[in-house]
Amino acid sequence: MRIDVPDRIEAAEDLGRVHLIGIGGAGLSAIARIMLERGIPVQGSDAADSALLRALEADGARVTIGQAAENLGDADTVVATTAVREDNPEIVAAQERGLRLYPRSAGLQSVMIGRDVVAVAGTHGKTTTTSMLTTALVHAGVDPSYAIGAPVASLGTNAHAGSSRWFVAEADESDGAFLVYEPYGAVVTNVDADHLDVWGTPEAYEQAFAQFVGRLDPQGFLVLCVDDAGAAALADVAAEQGIRVVRAGLGPQVDLRGTDLVTEGGGTSFTVLRDGETLGRVRLQVPGEHYVVDALGALAAALECGASFADAAAGLAAYAGASRRMELIGEADGVRVYDSYAHHPVEIAGDLQAARALAGGSRVLVAFQPHLVSRTRIFGTAMGEALGAADAVVVTDIYLAREDADPEVTSQRILDAVRLPADAVHAGAPLAELDDQLAGLARPGDLVLLLGAGDITTVAPRLVARLEKRAPGP
């Protein structure tokens, strides 16, 4: 459901008691946590229980499982996830009572008012780059506020109300949320057409990023990861406004450059040059060239915020990954199981490159859950081609999320495009049985990677448990 953004967004402290519909999601839980830390009364509902809900409850939120009109209680403001439907009883009740009703984007803007916001945008790598930047600033002693789209191991949470002027925010373009914010600075990792169910055309998607840059403070800064042509093109937009641009990347025509990449021991190290001068070497705990580019974007922004190279590099070295971003779930019977949020062909290719680095000479078995019919219609063939970098592939049914099924668009479109021998390409079992299927395919020494933005994430821990049961005893 689309909820209009009001002309005036009130600061969080002026919202009264806030009810969040979908409080257990990545976006709304971050808003809730920041409000709770500031002493704002928070309540909310979600469709299913989770550890995150229990954590918010422990921090003082009033949480309800299931959604009903009476859950609103004495709320003054309602903030709703974009996934909510128009007939949701809490939405209907809020409208009938004339309560202040904000979409997620306005809820986040409300907690950012009065801070200098550094917004991290891009088709891919937002969560990782936001997490890296935040960790770098924490190591520099800055104490930023932050809102990130996943829990971050090095931070212990996905959100915090800091004491400094800085607020680091993951800026989501999927529903146009990033056009609500008014950042002081920004990082754009890349611009690679996605969410065309919302934007319609690649041109409209690219124009949205130009509009985002147009919302920056003219006294602020813009970091562009210019190895990506879409991000590089935004330099001209920034120049028209007189915004300071910092180009980061691996190529020669940049302000902050990474060179001499070495991947070993499950991580990556590289030397950083600024305007041709060597600043030092950075070591990451995560493998893959795309993570190096994310780190360069984060490092450039951290330096713009006043962090020293030494402190920022120490923060990047401490970054141990974010939830569902090439996350190691466990190892059993000689099989390592990773879980990742990748759902776009470019993200699939990047994560498989990282998986290859982690696997060494071992097999990579990937299970992929397509996310959205509309995305599969547009990118299904490219998804299958990207999955061909694995040794064996399993593709499940499409996770519908907010869309309805279409008999003309199924996961078979992806399977048909995988360029591997027929005996290495498999239609996925129902999700409840997928761990059994993968356990039957996995051999000792394999790396198993589960990919997708839907509920395939529930399979990884079950698979580890299955592998533990089959492992030989001492």
Side-chain angles (χ1 to χ4, degrees):
M1 173 185 175
R2 180 177 178 83
I3 299 172
D4 291 335
V5 177
D7 293 335
R8 174 181 170 81
I9 297 174
E10 302 289 344
E13 289 75 10
D14 299 325
L15 296 180
R17 174 171 287 278
V18 181
H19 180 90
L20 297 102
I21 305 175
I23 192 172
L28 264 64
S29 66
I31 297 169
R33 190 172 300 284
I34 292 168
M35 288 181 173
L36 287 167
E37 289 185 22
R38 293 186 187 169
I40 297 167
V42 170
Q43 63 183 51
S45 63
D46 214 302
D49 200 358
S50 68
L52 182 53
L53 289 183
R54 300 283 71 83
L56 289 172
E57 195 171 45
D59 289 341
R62 192 171 77 203
V63 175
T64 306
I65 308 303
Q67 289 162 347
E70 55 268 26
N71 292 344
L72 297 185
D74 56 353
D76 302 292
T77 301
V78 173
V79 180
T81 173
T82 53
V84 72
R85 301 251 181 184
E86 291 182 2
D87 60 354
N88 181 286
E90 295 177 9
I91 288 288
V92 173
Q95 293 170 329
E96 289 176 347
R97 289 171 51 180
L99 300 181
R100 186 186 289 111
L101 181 59
Y102 281 0
R104 171 181 57 109
S105 57
L108 181 55
Q109 174 62 18
S110 76
V111 299
M112 295 195 296
I113 290 173
R115 272 69 176 181
D116 286 331
V117 176
V118 181
V120 180
T123 313
H124 323 292
K126 290 185 294 292
T127 299
T128 297
T129 305
T130 309
S131 304
M132 287 178 167
L133 171 56
T134 302
T135 305
L137 292 178
V138 167
H139 275 256
V142 171
D143 190 26
S145 300
Y146 54 88
I148 306 173
V152 181
S154 55
L155 301 171
T157 183
N158 66 329
H160 168 61
S163 58
S164 75
R165 61 182 276 214
W166 297 109
F167 194 122
V168 182
E170 182 172 341
D172 183 16
E173 86 285 2
S174 66
D175 60 351
F178 70 161
L179 299 181
V180 175
Y181 313 143
E182 299 176 345
Y184 175 83
V187 180
V188 177
T189 58
N190 40 62
V191 182
D192 189 9
D194 195 7
H195 307 292
L196 298 186
D197 56 318
V198 173
W199 297 106
T201 66
E203 292 76 17
Y205 183 83
E206 292 162 7
Q207 182 57 35
F209 277 86
Q211 291 178 284
F212 169 70
V213 171
R215 298 185 65 81
L216 293 179
D217 187 325
Q219 303 303 311
F221 65 88
L222 174 63
V223 175
L224 298 173
C225 298
V226 294
D227 293 344
D228 176 77
L234 295 172
D236 290 340
V237 179
E240 291 174 2
Q241 297 179 223
I243 295 171
R244 170 176 163 75
V245 175
V246 181
R247 295 169 174 82
L250 303 176
Q253 304 301 318
V254 296
D255 304 301
L256 194 76
R257 183 184 183 190
T259 65
D260 304 324
L261 275 63
V262 176
T263 299
E264 57 186 358
T268 310
S269 63
F270 55 97
T271 297
V272 179
L273 308 178
R274 181 167 59 184
D275 299 326
E277 177 185 349
T278 300
L279 296 182
R281 197 148 179 89
V282 171
R283 290 173 174 78
L284 302 177
Q285 296 185 49
V286 289
E289 186 175 290
H290 61 304
Y291 287 120
V292 173
V293 175
D294 292 342
L296 287 166
L299 176 59
L303 296 175
E304 289 295 313
C305 293
S308 70
F309 173 79
D311 286 340
L316 293 173
Y319 173 74
S323 175
R324 302 214 61 204
R325 272 67 181 179
M326 284 302 294
E327 180 183 9
L328 176 62
I329 302 302
E331 181 174 358
D333 196 24
V335 177
R336 286 173 289 169
V337 178
Y338 285 79
D339 182 36
S340 193
Y341 191 73
H343 52 279
H344 183 281
V346 173
E347 296 166 353
I348 294 167
D351 278 357
L352 279 171
Q353 180 194 53
R356 281 290 178 204
L358 289 165
S362 299
R363 281 199 332 155
V364 174
L365 165 61
V366 61
F368 175 59
Q369 181 188 50
H371 186 262
L372 297 178
V373 169
S374 56
R375 185 179 283 118
T376 306
R377 179 184 296 111
I378 297 167
F379 297 114
T381 298
M383 291 171 180
E385 291 170 351
L387 289 168
D391 296 292
V393 172
V394 176
V395 181
T396 75
D397 289 340
I398 297 171
Y399 183 78
L400 298 175
R402 58 186 177 271
E403 297 180 342
D404 296 323
D406 181 346
E408 300 297 319
V409 182
T410 71
S411 57
Q412 190 61 45
R413 179 174 301 205
I414 301 170
L415 287 162
D416 289 343
V418 178
R419 295 172 182 167
L420 289 174
D423 61 357
V425 182
H426 309 272
L431 217 65
E433 303 167 14
L434 186 60
D435 54 320
D436 290 339
Q437 182 182 19
L438 294 175
L441 293 171
R443 311 168 189 164
D446 284 357
L447 184 151
V448 179
L449 175 60
L450 293 100
L451 296 177
D455 54 359
I456 193 171
T457 189
T458 61
V459 175
R462 300 203 318 265
L463 175 57
V464 173
R466 288 271 307 160
L467 293 170
E468 288 173 345
K469 289 180 179 177
R470 87 173 191 190

